[in-house]
Amino acid sequence: MEPNFLQDLVAKFDIGEYPADEQHAILDEMSQIIMESVLTRAIPLLPVEAAIEYDKMLAADADITEIFTFLQMSVPGFDEIVAEEVATLEKMLKLAKG
């Protein structure tokens, strides 16, 4: 995921005061959760031609940043999907805290 996105997560979830190694661990876990949720929603929205290109990217072991950039250009409303999944994670974490 993009560095700005990760910085946004640090600010949004108020983890900037944690030691760097803990921040990285938290960000890795959050990024994984968000990425899986976004992919689950975005992939079915790909037009046929884009789905074929996506399959080629996977076969070529493309970088996740490259895949997300491709999806951002190919899936209508992709940025909104990402924002919704971040908000969902935020809600889940608030519920978990009690």
Side-chain angles (χ1 to χ4, degrees), residues 14-49:
D14 198 27
I15 58 174
E17 299 300 318
Y18 289 88
D21 58 332
E22 287 184 45
Q23 281 186 40
H24 290 297
I26 293 168
L27 287 173
D28 283 346
E29 192 166 333
M30 287 178 150
S31 296
Q32 184 69 27
I33 292 167
I34 293 167
M35 180 183 68
E36 288 175 9
S37 299
V38 168
L39 290 175
T40 299
R41 290 183 56 194
I43 300 306
L45 300 176
L46 284 172
V48 173
E49 304 82 29

Side-chain angles (χ1 to χ4, degrees), residues 1 4 7 15 17-18 21 25 42 52 58 63 75 80 87-88:
M1 294 194 171
N4 290 341
Q7 290 172 350
I15 58 174
E17 299 300 318
Y18 289 88
D21 58 332
I52 293 168
L58 290 180
D63 180 81
V75 175
E80 290 80 17
T88 298

